Amino acid sequence: MIEPGKYLNPEGIVHWKSPANIALIKYWGKYPEQLPMNPSLSFVLNNSVISIKIEYVIDKGKPMQLLGFQLNEKENPAFAEKINHYLDRLSQYFLFLKHAQLKISSKSTFPHSAGIASSAAAFSALALCICSMDEQIHDKKTPALEFFKKASFMARLGSGSACRSVFDGMVVWGFTNFMPGSADEYAIKLPGSMVHKTFSNIQDTILIASSETKKVSSSAGHALMHNHPYRENRKEQAFDNLKKITHALGEGNWKMFGEIIENEALSLHSLMMSSNPGYILMRPNTISMAEKIRSFRKDTGLNVYFTLDAGPNIHLIYPATQKEEVQNFVESELVPLCENQKWIDDQMGNGPEKI
Ligand code: DP6
């Protein structure tokens, strides 16, 4: 990235909102600079969104300074420190950041303490804001494809999975030789022609098994993959599952798709349990719900499958056409197993939006 050194608009405001995403093929294990050990696939959610507004002045006489950071109208020093660190990291690509005086405010639509990871939404929104600042400051317009590719690259440096939050539809991050354009440095959107229409409007009903803070963070979990005894097999499995799910998505094959996503979810948690030290993030009600979902599927023949991220909560994945039957099942059989009967109705969203 070339820095002209002249700031045409040294003062301004940028504002983006960006969603969380749910991985179907899991990113688990990484190399330095948040490069993934294996490719992953996800889609963004509609309702779990963070908006970030940055007011900035570039003053060449001063070093970078975060003058304030608010989350939902309250100062949040813990997150401010993370953001400071992140902006410092991005300043090697955007030299104007070295002299930026910034005021950041953010709003989250995430249900309070639902145990849903918000870092992908936060870092993607931040990365989009910084890329927009770059355009405004230098009075330039980047073609959309290039803009989102750059934003994805920058979001990755904040949190790996965040690089998948800047696109709508099905999104792949990580190089595989069977997917043209795929890369470890940024995510790409699967072309619409590769995804059967049965997967548009895909639903994600999130069943809260526990909203407690996890005992082992994702970053610590990734690190435990370094010396994991199943590391090489896991890599192979992820590449293989990605190849298969790509076929399932193209053919509109829900059964194959569903079997792969459940296999990925249970494999992820098996990797956690067989790490050294091993740990368990699923709760007893996670397992009870998973079993109920499998029985319901067997009894009704409906396309309803589950996935899990690095936590105990079930993400129920199914087509919009079955919403009524599935929601009846959710309310009668699964909600009683949720913590405080808490669940969230979500679905595939349209990706980030400039405000
Ligand atoms: C299980 O992206 O949160 O959700 O790169 O350390 O920030 P860092 O990790 P993070 O890991 C996400 C792990 C996962 C799977 C996935 O989203 O692909």
Side-chain angles (χ1 to χ4, degrees), residues 21-28 30 34 40-42 117 119-120 123 156 158-162 164 173 214 218-220 222 268-269 272 308-311:
N21 67 72
I22 177 69
L24 303 173
I25 304 294
K26 310 292 182 181
Y27 146 55
W28 201 237
K30 59 177 163 179
Q34 233 119 246
S40 55
L41 176 133
S42 65
S119 60
F123 282 109
R156 185 197 95 233
S159 174
S161 56
R164 297 186 311 237
W173 169 39
K214 312 185 269 204
S218 287
S219 297
H222 285 294
L268 170 71
H269 283 260
M272 294 171 186
L308 300 158
D309 60 12

PDB file of all heavy atoms in Angstrom, residues 21-28 30 34 40-42 117 119-120 123 156 158-162 164 173 214 218-220 222 268-269 272 308-311, ligand 1:
ATOM      1  N   ASN A  21     -20.187 -14.046  12.112  1.00  0.00           N
ATOM      2  CA  ASN A  21     -20.416 -15.146  11.158  1.00  0.00           C
ATOM      3  C   ASN A  21     -20.362 -16.476  11.888  1.00  0.00           C
ATOM      4  O   ASN A  21     -19.775 -16.576  12.971  1.00  0.00           O
ATOM      5  CB  ASN A  21     -19.407 -15.081   9.997  1.00  0.00           C
ATOM      6  CG  ASN A  21     -17.975 -15.351  10.421  1.00  0.00           C
ATOM      7  OD1 ASN A  21     -17.590 -16.487  10.732  1.00  0.00           O
ATOM      8  ND2 ASN A  21     -17.148 -14.298  10.453  1.00  0.00           N
ATOM      9  N   ILE A  22     -20.994 -17.481  11.279  1.00  0.00           N
ATOM     10  CA  ILE A  22     -20.917 -18.824  11.868  1.00  0.00           C
ATOM     11  C   ILE A  22     -20.177 -19.736  10.886  1.00  0.00           C
ATOM     12  O   ILE A  22     -20.534 -19.808   9.703  1.00  0.00           O
ATOM     13  CB  ILE A  22     -22.328 -19.389  12.236  1.00  0.00           C
ATOM     14  CG1 ILE A  22     -22.229 -20.814  12.781  1.00  0.00           C
ATOM     15  CG2 ILE A  22     -23.322 -19.328  11.078  1.00  0.00           C
ATOM     16  CD1 ILE A  22     -21.563 -20.928  14.143  1.00  0.00           C
ATOM     17  N   ALA A  23     -19.132 -20.394  11.388  1.00  0.00           N
ATOM     18  CA  ALA A  23     -18.333 -21.268  10.525  1.00  0.00           C
ATOM     19  C   ALA A  23     -19.004 -22.636  10.406  1.00  0.00           C
ATOM     20  O   ALA A  23     -19.501 -23.184  11.395  1.00  0.00           O
ATOM     21  CB  ALA A  23     -16.935 -21.437  11.113  1.00  0.00           C
ATOM     22  N   LEU A  24     -19.002 -23.165   9.197  1.00  0.00           N
ATOM     23  CA  LEU A  24     -19.515 -24.522   8.955  1.00  0.00           C
ATOM     24  C   LEU A  24     -18.337 -25.483   8.805  1.00  0.00           C
ATOM     25  O   LEU A  24     -18.369 -26.609   9.284  1.00  0.00           O
ATOM     26  CB  LEU A  24     -20.397 -24.519   7.701  1.00  0.00           C
ATOM     27  CG  LEU A  24     -21.574 -23.524   7.771  1.00  0.00           C
ATOM     28  CD1 LEU A  24     -22.304 -23.443   6.438  1.00  0.00           C
ATOM     29  CD2 LEU A  24     -22.544 -23.898   8.894  1.00  0.00           C
ATOM     30  N   ILE A  25     -17.292 -25.018   8.117  1.00  0.00           N
ATOM     31  CA  ILE A  25     -15.997 -25.723   8.139  1.00  0.00           C
ATOM     32  C   ILE A  25     -15.119 -24.841   9.028  1.00  0.00           C
ATOM     33  O   ILE A  25     -14.971 -23.645   8.777  1.00  0.00           O
ATOM     34  CB  ILE A  25     -15.372 -25.829   6.721  1.00  0.00           C
ATOM     35  CG1 ILE A  25     -16.331 -26.523   5.735  1.00  0.00           C
ATOM     36  CG2 ILE A  25     -14.012 -26.554   6.780  1.00  0.00           C
ATOM     37  CD1 ILE A  25     -16.625 -27.967   6.002  1.00  0.00           C
ATOM     38  N   LYS A  26     -14.541 -25.425  10.064  1.00  0.00           N
ATOM     39  CA  LYS A  26     -13.936 -24.616  11.124  1.00  0.00           C
ATOM     40  C   LYS A  26     -12.466 -24.284  10.890  1.00  0.00           C
ATOM     41  O   LYS A  26     -11.678 -25.165  10.509  1.00  0.00           O
ATOM     42  CB  LYS A  26     -14.022 -25.370  12.465  1.00  0.00           C
ATOM     43  CG  LYS A  26     -15.404 -25.905  12.803  1.00  0.00           C
ATOM     44  CD  LYS A  26     -16.398 -24.803  13.078  1.00  0.00           C
ATOM     45  CE  LYS A  26     -17.757 -25.387  13.464  1.00  0.00           C
ATOM     46  NZ  LYS A  26     -18.757 -24.318  13.707  1.00  0.00           N
ATOM     47  N   TYR A  27     -12.146 -23.036  11.186  1.00  0.00           N
ATOM     48  CA  TYR A  27     -10.743 -22.583  11.271  1.00  0.00           C
ATOM     49  C   TYR A  27     -10.282 -22.979  12.668  1.00  0.00           C
ATOM     50  O   TYR A  27     -10.815 -22.520  13.664  1.00  0.00           O
ATOM     51  CB  TYR A  27     -10.746 -21.068  11.042  1.00  0.00           C
ATOM     52  CG  TYR A  27      -9.734 -20.206  11.764  1.00  0.00           C
ATOM     53  CD1 TYR A  27      -8.359 -20.443  11.684  1.00  0.00           C
ATOM     54  CD2 TYR A  27     -10.167 -19.091  12.484  1.00  0.00           C
ATOM     55  CE1 TYR A  27      -7.452 -19.588  12.326  1.00  0.00           C
ATOM     56  CE2 TYR A  27      -9.268 -18.238  13.118  1.00  0.00           C
ATOM     57  CZ  TYR A  27      -7.910 -18.496  13.045  1.00  0.00           C
ATOM     58  OH  TYR A  27      -7.021 -17.652  13.670  1.00  0.00           O
ATOM     59  N   TRP A  28      -9.303 -23.873  12.739  1.00  0.00           N
ATOM     60  CA  TRP A  28      -8.824 -24.292  14.062  1.00  0.00           C
ATOM     61  C   TRP A  28      -7.342 -24.613  13.963  1.00  0.00           C
ATOM     62  O   TRP A  28      -6.957 -25.600  13.345  1.00  0.00           O
ATOM     63  CB  TRP A  28      -9.638 -25.498  14.574  1.00  0.00           C
ATOM     64  CG  TRP A  28      -9.554 -25.642  16.069  1.00  0.00           C
ATOM     65  CD1 TRP A  28      -9.115 -26.737  16.762  1.00  0.00           C
ATOM     66  CD2 TRP A  28      -9.934 -24.653  17.055  1.00  0.00           C
ATOM     67  NE1 TRP A  28      -9.180 -26.490  18.112  1.00  0.00           N
ATOM     68  CE2 TRP A  28      -9.671 -25.221  18.321  1.00  0.00           C
ATOM     69  CE3 TRP A  28     -10.426 -23.360  16.986  1.00  0.00           C
ATOM     70  CZ2 TRP A  28      -9.912 -24.523  19.511  1.00  0.00           C
ATOM     71  CZ3 TRP A  28     -10.672 -22.676  18.156  1.00  0.00           C
ATOM     72  CH2 TRP A  28     -10.414 -23.256  19.400  1.00  0.00           C
ATOM     73  N   LYS A  30      -3.481 -22.130  13.816  1.00  0.00           N
ATOM     74  CA  LYS A  30      -2.990 -21.064  12.937  1.00  0.00           C
ATOM     75  C   LYS A  30      -1.480 -20.941  13.006  1.00  0.00           C
ATOM     76  O   LYS A  30      -0.830 -21.450  13.925  1.00  0.00           O
ATOM     77  CB  LYS A  30      -3.650 -19.746  13.309  1.00  0.00           C
ATOM     78  CG  LYS A  30      -3.411 -19.277  14.746  1.00  0.00           C
ATOM     79  CD  LYS A  30      -4.066 -17.910  14.980  1.00  0.00           C
ATOM     80  CE  LYS A  30      -4.237 -17.587  16.428  1.00  0.00           C
ATOM     81  NZ  LYS A  30      -4.827 -16.300  16.689  1.00  0.00           N
ATOM     82  N   GLN A  34      -1.828 -14.733  12.105  1.00  0.00           N
ATOM     83  CA  GLN A  34      -3.189 -15.211  11.917  1.00  0.00           C
ATOM     84  C   GLN A  34      -3.415 -15.830  10.534  1.00  0.00           C
ATOM     85  O   GLN A  34      -4.402 -15.528   9.867  1.00  0.00           O
ATOM     86  CB  GLN A  34      -4.155 -14.067  12.159  1.00  0.00           C
ATOM     87  CG  GLN A  34      -5.210 -14.423  13.174  1.00  0.00           C
ATOM     88  CD  GLN A  34      -5.186 -13.537  14.393  1.00  0.00           C
ATOM     89  OE1 GLN A  34      -4.893 -14.000  15.470  1.00  0.00           O
ATOM     90  NE2 GLN A  34      -5.476 -12.280  14.206  1.00  0.00           N
ATOM     91  N   SER A  40     -11.497 -22.560   5.774  1.00  0.00           N
ATOM     92  CA  SER A  40     -12.779 -22.620   6.495  1.00  0.00           C
ATOM     93  C   SER A  40     -13.881 -22.007   5.627  1.00  0.00           C
ATOM     94  O   SER A  40     -13.594 -21.329   4.634  1.00  0.00           O
ATOM     95  CB  SER A  40     -12.660 -21.857   7.817  1.00  0.00           C
ATOM     96  OG  SER A  40     -12.227 -20.528   7.593  1.00  0.00           O
ATOM     97  N   LEU A  41     -15.126 -22.260   6.023  1.00  0.00           N
ATOM     98  CA  LEU A  41     -16.273 -21.724   5.269  1.00  0.00           C
ATOM     99  C   LEU A  41     -17.335 -21.274   6.252  1.00  0.00           C
ATOM    100  O   LEU A  41     -17.568 -21.953   7.262  1.00  0.00           O
ATOM    101  CB  LEU A  41     -16.829 -22.825   4.357  1.00  0.00           C
ATOM    102  CG  LEU A  41     -18.086 -22.475   3.552  1.00  0.00           C
ATOM    103  CD1 LEU A  41     -17.922 -22.891   2.099  1.00  0.00           C
ATOM    104  CD2 LEU A  41     -19.334 -23.145   4.109  1.00  0.00           C
ATOM    105  N   SER A  42     -17.958 -20.115   5.972  1.00  0.00           N
ATOM    106  CA  SER A  42     -18.967 -19.600   6.908  1.00  0.00           C
ATOM    107  C   SER A  42     -19.995 -18.760   6.169  1.00  0.00           C
ATOM    108  O   SER A  42     -19.839 -18.484   4.981  1.00  0.00           O
ATOM    109  CB  SER A  42     -18.289 -18.724   7.962  1.00  0.00           C
ATOM    110  OG  SER A  42     -17.729 -17.578   7.348  1.00  0.00           O
ATOM    111  N   ALA A 117     -19.780 -14.928  20.296  1.00  0.00           N
ATOM    112  CA  ALA A 117     -18.519 -14.223  20.057  1.00  0.00           C
ATOM    113  C   ALA A 117     -18.763 -12.988  19.195  1.00  0.00           C
ATOM    114  O   ALA A 117     -19.413 -13.065  18.160  1.00  0.00           O
ATOM    115  CB  ALA A 117     -17.541 -15.153  19.365  1.00  0.00           C
ATOM    116  N   SER A 119     -16.098 -10.778  18.394  1.00  0.00           N
ATOM    117  CA  SER A 119     -14.856 -10.204  17.888  1.00  0.00           C
ATOM    118  C   SER A 119     -14.831 -10.152  16.353  1.00  0.00           C
ATOM    119  O   SER A 119     -14.267  -9.216  15.788  1.00  0.00           O
ATOM    120  CB  SER A 119     -13.643 -10.946  18.434  1.00  0.00           C
ATOM    121  OG  SER A 119     -13.690 -12.276  18.052  1.00  0.00           O
ATOM    122  N   ALA A 120     -15.462 -11.104  15.675  1.00  0.00           N
ATOM    123  CA  ALA A 120     -15.457 -11.070  14.202  1.00  0.00           C
ATOM    124  C   ALA A 120     -16.202  -9.835  13.714  1.00  0.00           C
ATOM    125  O   ALA A 120     -15.744  -9.131  12.801  1.00  0.00           O
ATOM    126  CB  ALA A 120     -16.080 -12.330  13.628  1.00  0.00           C
ATOM    127  N   PHE A 123     -13.945  -6.586  14.734  1.00  0.00           N
ATOM    128  CA  PHE A 123     -12.736  -6.337  13.944  1.00  0.00           C
ATOM    129  C   PHE A 123     -13.040  -6.115  12.463  1.00  0.00           C
ATOM    130  O   PHE A 123     -12.337  -5.362  11.789  1.00  0.00           O
ATOM    131  CB  PHE A 123     -11.714  -7.463  14.141  1.00  0.00           C
ATOM    132  CG  PHE A 123     -10.981  -7.325  15.443  1.00  0.00           C
ATOM    133  CD1 PHE A 123     -11.202  -8.200  16.492  1.00  0.00           C
ATOM    134  CD2 PHE A 123     -10.089  -6.278  15.633  1.00  0.00           C
ATOM    135  CE1 PHE A 123     -10.548  -8.054  17.709  1.00  0.00           C
ATOM    136  CE2 PHE A 123      -9.424  -6.117  16.846  1.00  0.00           C
ATOM    137  CZ  PHE A 123      -9.648  -7.007  17.889  1.00  0.00           C
ATOM    138  N   ARG A 156      -8.507  -9.756   9.304  1.00  0.00           N
ATOM    139  CA  ARG A 156      -7.809 -10.984   9.731  1.00  0.00           C
ATOM    140  C   ARG A 156      -6.749 -10.694  10.786  1.00  0.00           C
ATOM    141  O   ARG A 156      -6.542 -11.483  11.714  1.00  0.00           O
ATOM    142  CB  ARG A 156      -7.144 -11.641   8.517  1.00  0.00           C
ATOM    143  CG  ARG A 156      -6.508 -12.975   8.818  1.00  0.00           C
ATOM    144  CD  ARG A 156      -5.529 -13.394   7.734  1.00  0.00           C
ATOM    145  NE  ARG A 156      -4.171 -13.016   8.062  1.00  0.00           N
ATOM    146  CZ  ARG A 156      -3.364 -12.318   7.287  1.00  0.00           C
ATOM    147  NH1 ARG A 156      -3.739 -11.900   6.091  1.00  0.00           N
ATOM    148  NH2 ARG A 156      -2.131 -12.016   7.705  1.00  0.00           N
ATOM    149  N   GLY A 158      -6.895  -8.650  13.092  1.00  0.00           N
ATOM    150  CA  GLY A 158      -7.526  -8.461  14.403  1.00  0.00           C
ATOM    151  C   GLY A 158      -7.992  -9.784  14.985  1.00  0.00           C
ATOM    152  O   GLY A 158      -7.710 -10.122  16.137  1.00  0.00           O
ATOM    153  N   SER A 159      -8.701 -10.556  14.181  1.00  0.00           N
ATOM    154  CA  SER A 159      -9.163 -11.887  14.590  1.00  0.00           C
ATOM    155  C   SER A 159      -9.365 -12.681  13.308  1.00  0.00           C
ATOM    156  O   SER A 159     -10.002 -12.181  12.356  1.00  0.00           O
ATOM    157  CB  SER A 159     -10.488 -11.751  15.347  1.00  0.00           C
ATOM    158  OG  SER A 159     -11.014 -13.033  15.623  1.00  0.00           O
ATOM    159  N   GLY A 160      -8.821 -13.890  13.270  1.00  0.00           N
ATOM    160  CA  GLY A 160      -8.849 -14.674  12.027  1.00  0.00           C
ATOM    161  C   GLY A 160     -10.245 -14.734  11.404  1.00  0.00           C
ATOM    162  O   GLY A 160     -10.445 -14.377  10.240  1.00  0.00           O
ATOM    163  N   SER A 161     -11.230 -15.145  12.202  1.00  0.00           N
ATOM    164  CA  SER A 161     -12.570 -15.363  11.638  1.00  0.00           C
ATOM    165  C   SER A 161     -13.206 -14.047  11.164  1.00  0.00           C
ATOM    166  O   SER A 161     -14.149 -14.074  10.371  1.00  0.00           O
ATOM    167  CB  SER A 161     -13.471 -16.049  12.665  1.00  0.00           C
ATOM    168  OG  SER A 161     -13.527 -15.294  13.846  1.00  0.00           O
ATOM    169  N   ALA A 162     -12.690 -12.902  11.616  1.00  0.00           N
ATOM    170  CA  ALA A 162     -13.259 -11.608  11.203  1.00  0.00           C
ATOM    171  C   ALA A 162     -13.113 -11.373   9.707  1.00  0.00           C
ATOM    172  O   ALA A 162     -13.918 -10.662   9.109  1.00  0.00           O
ATOM    173  CB  ALA A 162     -12.594 -10.477  11.983  1.00  0.00           C
ATOM    174  N   ARG A 164     -13.856 -13.225   7.440  1.00  0.00           N
ATOM    175  CA  ARG A 164     -14.993 -13.795   6.700  1.00  0.00           C
ATOM    176  C   ARG A 164     -16.257 -12.956   6.864  1.00  0.00           C
ATOM    177  O   ARG A 164     -17.275 -13.268   6.277  1.00  0.00           O
ATOM    178  CB  ARG A 164     -15.259 -15.238   7.161  1.00  0.00           C
ATOM    179  CG  ARG A 164     -14.113 -16.216   6.904  1.00  0.00           C
ATOM    180  CD  ARG A 164     -14.555 -17.625   7.275  1.00  0.00           C
ATOM    181  NE  ARG A 164     -15.160 -17.589   8.594  1.00  0.00           N
ATOM    182  CZ  ARG A 164     -14.772 -18.317   9.651  1.00  0.00           C
ATOM    183  NH1 ARG A 164     -13.801 -19.182   9.521  1.00  0.00           N
ATOM    184  NH2 ARG A 164     -15.383 -18.207  10.805  1.00  0.00           N
ATOM    185  N   TRP A 173     -12.272 -18.879   3.525  1.00  0.00           N
ATOM    186  CA  TRP A 173     -10.964 -18.283   3.877  1.00  0.00           C
ATOM    187  C   TRP A 173      -9.945 -19.408   3.959  1.00  0.00           C
ATOM    188  O   TRP A 173     -10.172 -20.390   4.677  1.00  0.00           O
ATOM    189  CB  TRP A 173     -11.057 -17.564   5.224  1.00  0.00           C
ATOM    190  CG  TRP A 173      -9.718 -17.160   5.794  1.00  0.00           C
ATOM    191  CD1 TRP A 173      -8.658 -16.673   5.106  1.00  0.00           C
ATOM    192  CD2 TRP A 173      -9.325 -17.211   7.170  1.00  0.00           C
ATOM    193  NE1 TRP A 173      -7.611 -16.412   5.972  1.00  0.00           N
ATOM    194  CE2 TRP A 173      -8.003 -16.728   7.242  1.00  0.00           C
ATOM    195  CE3 TRP A 173      -9.965 -17.609   8.345  1.00  0.00           C
ATOM    196  CZ2 TRP A 173      -7.300 -16.656   8.445  1.00  0.00           C
ATOM    197  CZ3 TRP A 173      -9.271 -17.535   9.534  1.00  0.00           C
ATOM    198  CH2 TRP A 173      -7.952 -17.051   9.582  1.00  0.00           C
ATOM    199  N   LYS A 214     -16.079 -18.433  28.492  1.00  0.00           N
ATOM    200  CA  LYS A 214     -15.375 -19.712  28.301  1.00  0.00           C
ATOM    201  C   LYS A 214     -14.105 -19.773  29.138  1.00  0.00           C
ATOM    202  O   LYS A 214     -13.434 -18.758  29.297  1.00  0.00           O
ATOM    203  CB  LYS A 214     -14.925 -19.882  26.845  1.00  0.00           C
ATOM    204  CG  LYS A 214     -15.939 -19.602  25.831  1.00  0.00           C
ATOM    205  CD  LYS A 214     -15.388 -19.919  24.466  1.00  0.00           C
ATOM    206  CE  LYS A 214     -14.728 -18.727  23.809  1.00  0.00           C
ATOM    207  NZ  LYS A 214     -14.702 -18.830  22.354  1.00  0.00           N
ATOM    208  N   SER A 218     -10.528 -18.845  22.334  1.00  0.00           N
ATOM    209  CA  SER A 218     -10.219 -19.430  21.014  1.00  0.00           C
ATOM    210  C   SER A 218      -8.727 -19.328  20.726  1.00  0.00           C
ATOM    211  O   SER A 218      -8.129 -20.267  20.196  1.00  0.00           O
ATOM    212  CB  SER A 218     -10.977 -18.708  19.909  1.00  0.00           C
ATOM    213  OG  SER A 218     -12.316 -19.049  19.948  1.00  0.00           O
ATOM    214  N   SER A 219      -8.127 -18.188  21.096  1.00  0.00           N
ATOM    215  CA  SER A 219      -6.697 -18.028  20.795  1.00  0.00           C
ATOM    216  C   SER A 219      -5.872 -19.100  21.499  1.00  0.00           C
ATOM    217  O   SER A 219      -4.956 -19.677  20.900  1.00  0.00           O
ATOM    218  CB  SER A 219      -6.204 -16.649  21.217  1.00  0.00           C
ATOM    219  OG  SER A 219      -6.892 -15.690  20.464  1.00  0.00           O
ATOM    220  N   ALA A 220      -6.224 -19.395  22.760  1.00  0.00           N
ATOM    221  CA  ALA A 220      -5.502 -20.450  23.481  1.00  0.00           C
ATOM    222  C   ALA A 220      -5.774 -21.810  22.825  1.00  0.00           C
ATOM    223  O   ALA A 220      -4.884 -22.659  22.716  1.00  0.00           O
ATOM    224  CB  ALA A 220      -5.927 -20.461  24.941  1.00  0.00           C
ATOM    225  N   HIS A 222      -6.452 -22.371  19.615  1.00  0.00           N
ATOM    226  CA  HIS A 222      -5.661 -22.453  18.371  1.00  0.00           C
ATOM    227  C   HIS A 222      -4.229 -22.883  18.708  1.00  0.00           C
ATOM    228  O   HIS A 222      -3.644 -23.714  18.023  1.00  0.00           O
ATOM    229  CB  HIS A 222      -5.594 -21.083  17.689  1.00  0.00           C
ATOM    230  CG  HIS A 222      -6.861 -20.669  16.997  1.00  0.00           C
ATOM    231  ND1 HIS A 222      -7.362 -21.331  15.899  1.00  0.00           N
ATOM    232  CD2 HIS A 222      -7.728 -19.658  17.232  1.00  0.00           C
ATOM    233  CE1 HIS A 222      -8.475 -20.725  15.484  1.00  0.00           C
ATOM    234  NE2 HIS A 222      -8.725 -19.713  16.292  1.00  0.00           N
ATOM    235  N   LEU A 268     -14.341 -30.423  15.931  1.00  0.00           N
ATOM    236  CA  LEU A 268     -13.743 -29.269  16.623  1.00  0.00           C
ATOM    237  C   LEU A 268     -13.693 -29.531  18.127  1.00  0.00           C
ATOM    238  O   LEU A 268     -12.655 -29.346  18.778  1.00  0.00           O
ATOM    239  CB  LEU A 268     -14.580 -28.015  16.321  1.00  0.00           C
ATOM    240  CG  LEU A 268     -14.272 -26.764  17.136  1.00  0.00           C
ATOM    241  CD1 LEU A 268     -12.931 -26.172  16.716  1.00  0.00           C
ATOM    242  CD2 LEU A 268     -15.368 -25.704  16.969  1.00  0.00           C
ATOM    243  N   HIS A 269     -14.818 -29.983  18.667  1.00  0.00           N
ATOM    244  CA  HIS A 269     -14.850 -30.199  20.122  1.00  0.00           C
ATOM    245  C   HIS A 269     -14.020 -31.421  20.524  1.00  0.00           C
ATOM    246  O   HIS A 269     -13.454 -31.451  21.618  1.00  0.00           O
ATOM    247  CB  HIS A 269     -16.303 -30.242  20.612  1.00  0.00           C
ATOM    248  CG  HIS A 269     -16.887 -28.861  20.687  1.00  0.00           C
ATOM    249  ND1 HIS A 269     -17.000 -28.159  21.867  1.00  0.00           N
ATOM    250  CD2 HIS A 269     -17.287 -28.010  19.708  1.00  0.00           C
ATOM    251  CE1 HIS A 269     -17.480 -26.946  21.592  1.00  0.00           C
ATOM    252  NE2 HIS A 269     -17.665 -26.835  20.294  1.00  0.00           N
ATOM    253  N   MET A 272     -10.573 -30.197  20.919  1.00  0.00           N
ATOM    254  CA  MET A 272     -10.376 -29.502  22.199  1.00  0.00           C
ATOM    255  C   MET A 272     -10.189 -30.527  23.317  1.00  0.00           C
ATOM    256  O   MET A 272      -9.303 -30.405  24.159  1.00  0.00           O
ATOM    257  CB  MET A 272     -11.601 -28.644  22.538  1.00  0.00           C
ATOM    258  CG  MET A 272     -11.805 -27.496  21.585  1.00  0.00           C
ATOM    259  SD  MET A 272     -13.394 -26.736  21.929  1.00  0.00           S
ATOM    260  CE  MET A 272     -13.459 -25.566  20.595  1.00  0.00           C
ATOM    261  N   LEU A 308     -21.579 -26.014  16.118  1.00  0.00           N
ATOM    262  CA  LEU A 308     -21.145 -25.389  17.380  1.00  0.00           C
ATOM    263  C   LEU A 308     -19.946 -24.534  17.042  1.00  0.00           C
ATOM    264  O   LEU A 308     -19.145 -24.923  16.194  1.00  0.00           O
ATOM    265  CB  LEU A 308     -20.655 -26.460  18.366  1.00  0.00           C
ATOM    266  CG  LEU A 308     -21.631 -27.536  18.799  1.00  0.00           C
ATOM    267  CD1 LEU A 308     -20.859 -28.772  19.307  1.00  0.00           C
ATOM    268  CD2 LEU A 308     -22.517 -27.009  19.916  1.00  0.00           C
ATOM    269  N   ASP A 309     -19.803 -23.362  17.673  1.00  0.00           N
ATOM    270  CA  ASP A 309     -18.504 -22.705  17.524  1.00  0.00           C
ATOM    271  C   ASP A 309     -17.691 -23.052  18.771  1.00  0.00           C
ATOM    272  O   ASP A 309     -17.978 -24.051  19.437  1.00  0.00           O
ATOM    273  CB  ASP A 309     -18.615 -21.210  17.176  1.00  0.00           C
ATOM    274  CG  ASP A 309     -19.361 -20.423  18.229  1.00  0.00           C
ATOM    275  OD1 ASP A 309     -19.577 -20.978  19.311  1.00  0.00           O
ATOM    276  OD2 ASP A 309     -19.702 -19.257  17.960  1.00  0.00           O
ATOM    277  N   ALA A 310     -16.677 -22.259  19.102  1.00  0.00           N
ATOM    278  CA  ALA A 310     -15.853 -22.647  20.247  1.00  0.00           C
ATOM    279  C   ALA A 310     -16.590 -22.284  21.532  1.00  0.00           C
ATOM    280  O   ALA A 310     -16.189 -21.391  22.272  1.00  0.00           O
ATOM    281  CB  ALA A 310     -14.499 -21.957  20.166  1.00  0.00           C
ATOM    282  N   GLY A 311     -17.672 -22.956  21.791  1.00  0.00           N
ATOM    283  CA  GLY A 311     -18.485 -22.698  22.971  1.00  0.00           C
ATOM    284  C   GLY A 311     -19.589 -23.755  23.065  1.00  0.00           C
ATOM    285  O   GLY A 311     -19.651 -24.640  22.208  1.00  0.00           O
TER     286      GLY A 311
HETATM  287  C1  DP6 B   1     -14.083 -22.164  16.465  1.00  0.00           C
HETATM  288  O1  DP6 B   1     -11.192 -16.144  14.888  1.00  0.00           O
HETATM  289  O2  DP6 B   1     -11.913 -16.229  17.290  1.00  0.00           O
HETATM  290  O3  DP6 B   1     -15.035 -20.076  15.845  1.00  0.00           O
HETATM  291  O4  DP6 B   1      -7.896 -15.659  15.165  1.00  0.00           O
HETATM  292  O5  DP6 B   1      -7.392 -16.090  17.574  1.00  0.00           O
HETATM  293  O6  DP6 B   1      -9.083 -14.337  16.928  1.00  0.00           O
HETATM  294  P1  DP6 B   1      -8.420 -15.675  16.573  1.00  0.00           P
HETATM  295  O7  DP6 B   1      -9.549 -16.791  16.674  1.00  0.00           O
HETATM  296  P2  DP6 B   1     -11.051 -16.781  16.222  1.00  0.00           P
HETATM  297  O8  DP6 B   1     -11.322 -18.359  16.085  1.00  0.00           O
HETATM  298  C2  DP6 B   1     -12.557 -18.844  15.664  1.00  0.00           C
HETATM  299  C3  DP6 B   1     -12.634 -20.294  15.862  1.00  0.00           C
HETATM  300  C4  DP6 B   1     -13.967 -20.942  15.568  1.00  0.00           C
HETATM  301  C5  DP6 B   1     -14.024 -21.455  14.155  1.00  0.00           C
HETATM  302  C6  DP6 B   1     -14.253 -20.455  13.055  1.00  0.00           C
HETATM  303  O9  DP6 B   1     -14.855 -19.399  13.271  1.00  0.00           O
HETATM  304  O10 DP6 B   1     -13.844 -20.802  11.925  1.00  0.00           O
END
